[in-house]
Amino acid sequence: MGRELTAEVAVVGGGASGLVAALALAQSGADVVLFAPSGSPDTRTTALLHGSVRTLEALGVWPALVPHAAPLSRLRLIDATHRLIRAPEVLFDAAELDLDAFGYNIENNVLQRVLRIAVPGNPAIRVVEAAVSGVACEDHAVILHTGETEERVQLAVGADGRKSICRRAAGIMMRQREFPQVALTMNLRHPRPHENVSTEFHTETGPFTLVPLKGARSSLVCVVDPKEANRLREMDAAALALEIERRAHSILGRMEIDGPRGSFPLSIETADRMGARRIALVGEAAHLLPPIGAQGLNLGIRDAATIAELVADARREGQDIGANSLLDAYEARRRPDVRNRAMAVELMNRSLLSDFLPVHAARGFGLELASRFGFLRRALMREGLGPREGDAPRLARGERL
Ligand SMILES: Cc1cc2nc3c(=O)[nH]c(=O)nc-3n(C[C@H](O)[C@H](O)[C@H](O)COP(=O)(O)OP(=O)(O)OC[C@H]3O[C@@H](n4cnc5c(N)ncnc54)[C@H](O)[C@@H]3O)c2cc1C
């Protein structure tokens, strides 16, 4: 069997997916070593949907996030294109699903801070504040090196982002499709209240989405072509604020830029497999989606909850938690969710970019139906929130492992 294990599971990466995975795996009863080098500040915000909020509740971290989280009670879609066929405005209201909110928007830095406080407070998690520089897969263990330490574990969870060293060690390839678009992000202050309504303007270059933050603030994801992204990035704060207000049709009044701007080229990347060779991938190590429909981290949290659930069940039955059978089960549980979300996001994005009139007609007709028929609106809302209750991991249903 070789040398002794130093922990049952290693989680590689201290981004949000890795931190949630470490907490969830600790709840499975496993002892966990987390490699979490300090990262650069993340100026984005994340809309955590209902299932993610339940997961964070089940992991005991939600109460510390509540004071910083803005509820997303309604979502308004507005066709701001100048095309011949335009879709009607559609309002999705969480109350139609008997929910207070679809989810909550929170600044990534706050989310990270709260999770990073919870992790060392958990006796089942040992934190190594260094990056993994080498991963070797053997029959009975995975060996992870930093410059100074070595860990031997039964299962490694790669939460190490899009350039994942774990994915390379597992021999898993990514499929990639790039889009001629860039997402500009920034936070805004404004005089008019957002009333917990997220507003998405559909434009010819992609969505322009205002998402409520706590107080009279919103976060913005503005998807434009790369040339326009450069132009906007180089504007001074006053000129950019005016331009943003114009694009927002002044619905929130005069804008003020609050903090730094971010810029993210759009692509869809999905891993051929969710795990192999005693390595399971979670978060952006396994899938990268454009910021449309708030899916990315919500998928990552479901990955984390699912791998922890499979580990909890395998431990209870005395089985090897790094076995191929467990990784096959992980693949089977996660693939449909990742595939469906990636397809939906791509379809939504391409329908905006397309110059083909019948595509605009189909989109307009679909949204017309949604604006008229409650059952269709409810079906779309349920689909947007994630898998059906029965297909969701136990933590996302609010159950403990
Ligand atoms: C503009 C924008 C808006 C978005 N909005 C939303 C939203 O509203 N809702 C939503 O669900 N998603 C959203 N997303 C997606 C979401 O931000 C990502 O899915 C999420 O941040 C990915 O987290 P992660 O932990 O998987 O990866 P990362 O945040 O990339 O974390 C990876 C971590 O691994 C560490 N690491 C890397 N290599 C190593 C190594 N060798 N050893 C140890 N550690 C290592 C890094 O330091 C980093 O901390 C958005 C994305 C964008 C671009």
Side-chain angles (χ1 to χ4, degrees):
M1 181 93 179
R3 297 215 316 275
E4 262 186 36
L5 299 173
T6 54
E8 283 173 82
V9 190
V11 176
V12 182
S17 307
L19 295 167
V20 172
L23 289 168
L25 284 157
Q27 198 181 95
S28 79
D31 68 306
V32 180
V33 57
L34 168 69
F35 293 92
S38 52
S40 39
D42 186 340
T43 57
R44 289 170 293 178
T45 70
T46 296
L48 293 169
L49 300 179
H50 187 61
S52 297
V53 171
R54 277 180 148 187
T55 301
L56 296 171
E57 274 169 357
L59 295 175
V61 285
W62 184 244
L65 291 167
V66 170
H68 311 283
L72 306 175
S73 308
R74 280 172 292 162
L75 166 64
R76 184 156 53 142
L77 301 185
I78 298 173
D79 189 337
T81 63
H82 300 94
R83 287 174 174 147
L84 194 60
I85 301 177
R86 294 173 58 211
E89 183 174 322
V90 187
L91 184 72
F92 296 100
D93 191 333
E96 283 192 76
L97 296 181
D98 294 325
L99 295 173
D100 293 336
F102 294 118
Y104 292 79
N105 195 33
I106 190 155
E107 282 153 283
N108 286 15
N109 282 335
V110 174
L111 177 63
Q112 289 259 348
R113 194 174 65 228
V114 167
L115 291 170
R116 276 192 180 250
I117 291 170
V119 161
N122 190 312
I125 306 173
R126 180 161 51 87
V127 182
V128 176
E129 287 180 11
V132 169
S133 51
V135 182
C137 306
E138 294 183 347
D139 284 349
H140 299 287
V142 184
I143 298 129
L144 303 119
H145 300 272
T146 67
E148 286 163 9
T149 57
E150 179 184 300
E151 301 284 344
R152 286 178 77 84
V153 295
Q154 273 180 293
L155 173 72
V157 172
D160 46 347
R162 60 187 302 191
K163 295 196 175 132
S164 170
I165 188 174
C166 292
R167 190 177 66 228
R168 227 176 309 136
I172 296 173
M173 305 300 287
M174 285 301 256
R175 284 167 202 269
Q176 184 182 18
R177 295 186 292 292
E178 285 181 359
F179 298 108
Q181 292 160 292
V182 172
L184 281 183
T185 60
M186 67 200 80
N187 293 344
L188 304 160
R189 289 186 183 279
H190 41 77
R192 295 201 193 127
H194 48 56
E195 293 173 340
N196 303 331
V197 182
S198 178
T199 305
E200 188 165 305
F201 293 95
H202 289 170
T203 79
E204 285 88 349
T205 58
F208 172 98
T209 311
L210 293 160
V211 193
L213 281 169
K214 269 283 182 194
R217 294 191 311 140
S218 295
S219 57
L220 169 69
V221 179
C222 169
V223 178
V224 288
D225 64 54
K227 211 165 132 208
E228 182 64 354
N230 278 339
R231 189 181 79 83
L232 294 174
R233 231 183 348 238
E234 280 163 20
M235 278 182 166
D236 65 45
L240 181 61
L242 264 179
E243 176 63 20
I244 297 298
E245 182 189 339
R246 187 187 66 77
R247 289 175 187 239
H249 300 257
S250 297
I251 56 169
L252 297 172
R254 197 173 162 167
M255 296 291 190
E256 192 188 319
I257 316 281
D258 182 24
R261 309 164 195 180
S263 167
F264 302 84
L266 258 59
S267 64
I268 291 189
E269 297 178 29
T270 47
D272 281 346
R273 273 188 66 79
M274 294 295 291
R277 297 187 188 162
R278 294 190 170 272
I279 294 176
L281 303 177
V282 307
E284 284 195 352
H287 42 73
L288 180 91
L289 299 190
I292 296 174
Q295 297 297 331
L297 183 58
N298 288 290
L299 274 175
I301 291 177
R302 292 201 286 279
D303 298 338
T306 305
I307 193 67
E309 180 176 318
L310 292 169
V311 166
D313 294 346
R315 286 182 89 260
R316 239 173 251 129
E317 288 161 25
Q319 291 168 359
D320 177 357
I321 60 167
N324 284 337
S325 54
L326 186 140
L327 295 176
D328 289 345
Y330 182 54
E331 168 73 20
R333 290 272 302 269
R334 294 305 300 139
R335 180 61 56 193
D337 192 16
V338 172
R339 190 184 46 224
N340 293 347
R341 307 282 137 196
M343 265 168 46
V345 166
E346 179 157 11
L347 193 73
M348 238 186 304
N349 194 33
R350 287 205 189 277
S351 76
L352 283 181
L353 292 185
S354 172
D355 283 329
F356 194 42
L357 196 66
V359 173
H360 308 159
R363 212 178 121 262
F365 183 59
L367 288 172
E368 175 74 44
L369 291 179
S371 73
R372 286 183 183 208
F373 298 110
F375 75 91
L376 189 60
R377 245 186 348 265
R378 286 191 290 279
L380 287 171
M381 286 190 275
R382 263 186 231 108
E383 194 50 43
L385 285 182
R388 261 174 259 122
E389 185 91 353
D391 297 331
R394 290 206 288 272
L395 286 171
R397 286 183 253 145
E399 297 167 23
R400 284 182 63 85
L401 294 176

